[in-house]
């Protein structure tokens, strides 16, 4: 009878024969005659079982020792078969208990070892975590130290640079204060400027002329004389500077428009012998026949001039202020001066001022005094070109200017340019002081004040406005003189307005003026060597006079 071994049944985990134990176990010894299961071998026992532990123990002993002990026990203590069975049964009963005890001890030891291993691992993890925390803390400390060091370094550098900048600014301020004090002493105390309030004079002049034009327009309504428009101030006083020491001359331009039934046509003078651009104002009677003006019951000035004269009892403009159909400057000036003298008592200014008319052929010159102060007003007349800032005016050009010639004037545009620059330049800009000092130091008339004014306008247009601070006054003065010297040597100085396409937008020019070639203001010097020599001498005199003014303060 084949006995099933423990290894196969144990290996199944159920205590029953496994499918592999249906036959004799090839690894276990065959036991015949005794229905006792064969002892499992070490290779067949499950791990950590009592039988496995006993098998491991038996395998550690030599097989011959085991057999010798069994033989001695049989020889010395022979027992009957029944006793043998009882012993075997007893052995079978004791073996599971021993195996369980051994398994319990083994499990306890394994648990202790596991606890020790886990505790060791946990301590290692804790130590490693603590070490990592210390390392990261140290790294973080190093980073913080590096950031603090960099911040401190930059702070120190910024502090040092800030101190250096403050020192430089302080030095610059001290230098500026020194220059400002020197220039203030030079410009305000050393140089004796004329005591004049130009702005007050300009306001007073414009109020006077506006009152005149209002009264005269009312008196001229219903006539065929030119219509007086609102006056425009121009020239040095309205630009903020003057070359006169006593009375200031305030210049105004009164635009003229044609009366009812008349038109103005501007004709360019093509005579190349006369300098500049000159025009004539041709006056024409306007045709207003019924076929052209439907529904309007009026006479035609062109076709019925006699009827209109008889009905209105007023002569037309061609009969009064024209010469050969062209508006005459001298007749216009005389007509206006007569009206001013006749209407003066209607003005409120007549109560506190005395009016005097100064002789002039191409302008109406007024002198007003009140016993303590006096000022002059020079009234010019002009016709506007299109809707621009360019007028043809009554100002004279040359010694022999025909009375029907109206030279083109750019004075209004120049004044608007100075007003524009006054808004752009620094508040304490000294460009006007520079211009006024040069104009007052110019004793000879070999070149005009307008030449110096043109150079200053060009510098204002090209040099940044920040450079016109008062502390740069001497530099501005030097630049102006140098540009004047170069222009005189080259005998060439271009006009500032004509042909200038980079003027501020507020200054309006006719297309032909904007595209024209700038005229040479020193054209006469190029044609006359003697005049050029005199102009160069005048420049040297200007420098010497200016040096005396700066040294001794007499302006």
């Amino acid at each position: 009878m084949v006995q099933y071994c423990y290894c196969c049944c144990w290996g199944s985990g159920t205590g029953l024969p496994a499918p592999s134990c249906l036959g004799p176990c090839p690894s276990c010894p065959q036991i015949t005659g005794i229905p006792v299961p064969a002892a499992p071998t070490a290779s067949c026992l499950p791990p950590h079982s009592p039988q496995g532990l006993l098998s491991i123990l038996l395998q550690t002993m030599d097989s011959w020792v085991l057999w010798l002990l069994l033989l001695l026990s049989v020889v010395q203590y022979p027992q009957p078969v029944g006793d043998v069975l009882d012993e075997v049964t007893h052995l079978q009963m004791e073996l599971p208990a021993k195996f369980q005890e051994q398994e319990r001890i083994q499990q306890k030891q394994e648990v202790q070892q596991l606890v020790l291993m886990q505790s060791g691992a946990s301590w290692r993890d804790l130590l490693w975590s603590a070490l990592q925390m210390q390392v990261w803390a140290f790294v973080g400390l190093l980073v913080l130290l590096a950031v603090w060091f960099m911040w401190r370094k930059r702070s120190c550098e910024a502090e040092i640079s800030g101190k250096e900048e403050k020192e430089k600014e302080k030095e610059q301020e001290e230098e500026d204060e020194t220059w400002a004090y020197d220039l203030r002493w030079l410009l305000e105390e050393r140089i004796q400027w004329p005591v004049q309030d130009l702005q007050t004079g300009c306001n007073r002049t414009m109020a006077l002329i506006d009152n005149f034009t209002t009264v005269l327009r009312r008196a001229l309504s219903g006539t065929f004389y030119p219509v007086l428009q609102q006056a425009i101030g121009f020239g040095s006083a309205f630009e903020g500077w003057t070359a006169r020491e006593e009375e200031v001359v305030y210049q105004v331009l009164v635009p003229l428009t044609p009366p009812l039934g008349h038109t103005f046509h501007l004709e360019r003078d093509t005579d190349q012998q006369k300098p500049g651009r000159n025009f004539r104002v041709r006056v024409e009677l306007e045709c207003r026949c019924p076929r052209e003006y439907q529904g309007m019951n009026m006479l035609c000035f062109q076709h019925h001039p006699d009827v209109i004269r008889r009905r209105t009892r007023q002569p037309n403009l061609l009969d009064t202020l024209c010469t050969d159909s062209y508006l005459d400057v001298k007749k216009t000036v005389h007509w206006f001066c007569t009206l001013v003298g006749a209407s003066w008592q209607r003005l409120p200014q007549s109560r506190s001022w005395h009016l005097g008319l100064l002789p002039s052929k191409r302008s109406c010159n007024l002198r007003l005094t009140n016993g303590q102060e006096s000022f002059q007003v020079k009234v010019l007349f002009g016709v506007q070109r299109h809707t621009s800032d360019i007028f043809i005016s009554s100002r004279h050009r040359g010694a022999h200017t025909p009375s029907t010639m109206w030279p083109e004037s750019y004075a209004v545009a120049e004044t608007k340019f100075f007003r524009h620059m006054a808004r752009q330049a620094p508040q304490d800009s000294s460009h006007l002081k520079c211009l006024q000092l040069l104009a007052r130091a110019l004793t000879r008339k070999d070149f005009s004040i307008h030449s110096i004014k043109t150079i200053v306008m060009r510098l204002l247009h090209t040099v940044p406005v920040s450079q016109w601070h008062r502390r740069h006054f001497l530099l501005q003065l030097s630049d102006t003189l140098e540009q004047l010297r170069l222009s005189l040597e080259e005998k060439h100085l271009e006009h500032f307005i004509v042909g200038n396409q980079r003027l501020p937008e507020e200054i309006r020019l006719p297309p032909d003026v904007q595209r024209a070639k700038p005229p040479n203001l020193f054209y006469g010097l190029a044609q006359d060597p003697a005049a050029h020599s005199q102009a160069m001498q005048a420049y040297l005199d200007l420098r010497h006079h200016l040096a005396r003014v700066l040294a001794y303060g007499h302006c």
Side-chain angles (χ1 to χ4, degrees):
M1 180 178 180
V2 178
Q3 299 292 329
Y4 296 103
C5 66
Y6 281 93
C7 65
C8 297
C9 296
W10 209 299
S12 65
T14 59
L16 298 176
S20 61
C21 295
L22 296 178
C25 181
S27 59
C28 298
Q30 301 294 328
I31 303 174
T32 58
I34 302 174
V36 179
T41 63
S43 60
C44 296
L45 293 177
H48 307 296
S49 63
Q51 291 84 352
L53 293 175
L54 180 59
S55 175
I56 293 172
L57 179 62
L58 292 177
Q59 288 180 2
T60 58
M61 300 175 64
D62 295 336
S63 59
W64 62 271
V65 175
L66 182 58
W67 288 109
L68 179 59
L69 291 176
L70 291 174
L71 180 61
L72 289 174
S73 63
V74 173
V75 173
Q76 291 179 0
Y77 302 98
Q79 295 179 358
V81 176
D83 294 337
V84 173
L85 291 176
D86 293 337
E87 185 69 23
V88 171
T89 303
H90 181 68
L91 181 60
Q92 289 179 351
M93 294 177 62
E94 288 181 353
L95 282 176
K98 290 181 179 181
F99 288 154
Q100 291 178 0
E101 182 67 21
Q102 186 69 23
E103 184 180 5
R104 187 181 64 79
I105 295 172
Q106 184 69 24
Q107 290 179 353
K108 183 176 181 181
Q109 291 177 353
E110 290 178 356
V111 170
Q112 290 178 353
Q113 291 179 358
L114 181 61
V115 171
L116 290 175
M117 291 175 63
Q118 292 179 351
S119 61
S122 61
W123 276 106
R124 285 194 301 271
D125 294 340
L126 291 174
L127 289 174
W128 177 246
S129 300
L131 181 61
Q132 284 182 333
M133 292 177 64
Q134 291 179 359
V135 170
W136 283 114
F138 182 71
V139 171
L141 181 61
L142 290 178
V143 173
L144 290 176
L145 288 174
V147 172
W148 178 85
F149 178 75
M150 294 176 63
W151 171 81
R152 183 60 181 170
K153 183 179 179 181
R154 293 183 179 179
S155 300
C156 292
E157 292 177 352
E159 186 176 356
I160 293 173
S161 61
K163 290 181 179 179
E164 292 178 353
E165 290 179 359
K166 288 182 179 179
E167 291 178 357
K168 290 181 180 179
E169 290 178 358
K170 186 176 180 181
E171 293 176 357
Q172 185 66 34
E173 289 177 359
E174 292 177 355
E175 183 179 355
D176 291 344
E177 289 178 359
T178 303
W179 273 99
Y181 175 78
D182 293 341
L183 289 175
R184 189 183 305 113
W185 176 80
L186 176 66
L187 297 177
E188 298 178 4
E189 299 180 8
R190 187 68 173 174
I191 299 177
Q192 299 176 1
W193 301 97
V195 181
Q196 297 161 345
D197 189 352
L198 295 179
Q199 187 60 46
T200 300
C202 291
N203 296 336
R204 186 168 51 194
T205 299
M206 295 308 299
L208 172 67
I209 301 302
D210 287 344
N211 288 340
F212 265 127
T213 54
T214 300
V215 171
L216 294 180
R217 274 199 300 265
R218 189 181 303 117
L220 294 174
S221 62
T223 67
F224 302 114
Y225 286 100
V227 180
L228 305 176
Q229 302 299 323
Q230 185 176 4
I232 303 173
F234 71 95
S236 60
F238 286 90
E239 292 166 357
W241 64 280
T242 179
R244 296 181 62 91
E245 297 183 5
E246 296 84 15
E247 288 183 340
V248 180
V249 178
Y250 297 90
Q251 302 183 74
V252 295
L253 178 71
V254 178
L256 304 176
T257 56
L260 179 66
H262 298 71
T263 58
F264 287 165
H265 295 278
L266 304 183
E267 296 180 355
R268 175 82 181 273
D269 185 14
T270 58
D271 188 358
Q272 300 296 328
Q273 301 299 324
K274 298 183 178 65
R277 295 159 55 96
N278 303 300
F279 290 81
R280 298 178 187 273
V281 182
R282 182 163 55 88
V283 179
E284 293 182 353
L285 296 176
E286 188 178 15
C287 179
R288 293 196 173 187
C289 293
R291 63 177 180 273
E292 295 183 7
Y293 296 88
Q294 297 295 332
M296 299 179 65
N297 185 17
M298 62 175 58
L299 296 174
C300 175
F301 281 82
Q302 183 177 0
H303 298 96
H304 310 92
D306 297 333
V307 178
I308 293 176
R309 288 193 196 97
R310 187 172 59 254
R311 290 190 178 184
T312 60
R313 297 180 181 180
Q314 293 289 338
N316 58 41
L317 185 57
L318 289 171
D319 299 331
T320 55
L321 303 182
C322 291
T323 299
D324 297 332
S325 300
Y326 292 100
L327 188 64
D328 192 291
V329 173
K330 295 180 180 179
K331 292 181 180 180
T332 304
V333 170
H334 179 73
W335 161 75
F336 183 81
C337 290
T338 303
L339 292 176
V340 166
S343 60
W344 169 245
Q345 296 300 326
R346 301 181 185 178
L347 270 63
Q349 287 86 350
S350 62
R351 301 185 184 94
S352 54
W353 292 88
H354 173 72
L355 174 66
L357 293 174
L358 303 178
S360 179
K361 295 181 178 180
R362 299 185 68 90
S363 63
C364 183
N365 294 344
L366 313 176
R367 182 178 182 183
L368 291 98
T369 58
N370 62 358
Q372 297 179 350
E373 57 180 330
S374 65
F375 67 97
Q376 294 185 31
V377 179
K378 185 176 183 178
V379 182
L380 296 173
F381 306 95
V383 178
Q384 187 179 19
R385 291 203 56 198
H386 307 291
T387 57
S388 68
D389 295 318
I390 305 302
F391 292 80
I392 58 170
S393 69
S394 62
R395 62 183 291 267
H396 68 85
R397 176 173 288 169
H400 305 285
T401 305
S403 61
T404 57
M405 181 178 293
W406 297 69
E408 192 172 52
S409 174
Y410 317 100
V412 174
E414 292 174 356
T415 301
K416 290 186 69 173
F417 175 77
F418 273 97
R419 290 175 180 172
H420 172 79
M421 295 309 301
R423 295 190 295 268
Q424 303 295 323
Q427 200 168 25
D428 60 346
S429 174
S430 58
H431 63 280
L432 295 178
K433 288 286 187 182
C434 178
L435 178 57
Q436 183 168 348
L437 183 60
L438 288 170
R440 292 174 64 85
L442 183 62
T443 56
R444 299 177 56 172
K445 304 300 181 182
D446 295 284
F447 54 85
S448 65
I449 297 294
H450 189 263
S451 301
I452 299 177
K453 176 182 171 181
T454 300
I455 292 175
V456 172
M457 287 191 292
R458 288 199 171 277
L459 290 175
L460 281 172
H461 202 220
T462 55
V463 177
V465 292
S466 60
Q467 297 296 324
W468 289 94
H469 195 277
R470 183 174 59 183
R471 62 174 175 266
H472 302 304
F473 172 78
L474 296 180
L475 181 61
Q476 300 164 12
L477 197 62
S478 176
D479 289 345
T480 305
L481 287 173
E482 181 63 17
Q483 290 297 321
L484 178 59
R485 182 187 66 83
L486 292 175
S487 299
L488 288 173
E489 289 180 352
E490 296 174 358
K491 307 173 187 178
H492 186 82
L493 178 61
E494 290 186 350
H495 199 281
F496 179 70
I497 298 296
V498 179
N500 192 343
Q501 300 183 8
R502 298 189 300 111
L503 289 173
E505 294 182 357
E506 61 185 274
I507 300 177
R508 300 165 298 175
L509 301 181
D512 62 317
V513 174
Q514 193 173 23
R515 294 192 299 264
K517 181 181 179 180
N520 180 14
L521 299 182
F522 288 161
Y523 175 80
L525 303 181
Q527 301 299 317
D528 189 352
H532 179 253
S533 299
Q534 294 176 1
M536 291 300 300
Q537 185 60 44
Y539 167 75
L540 296 177
D541 293 343
L542 172 64
R543 290 185 64 93
H544 293 324
H545 189 193
L546 189 61
R548 288 196 301 270
V549 169
L550 296 176
Y552 303 107
H554 300 289
C555 188

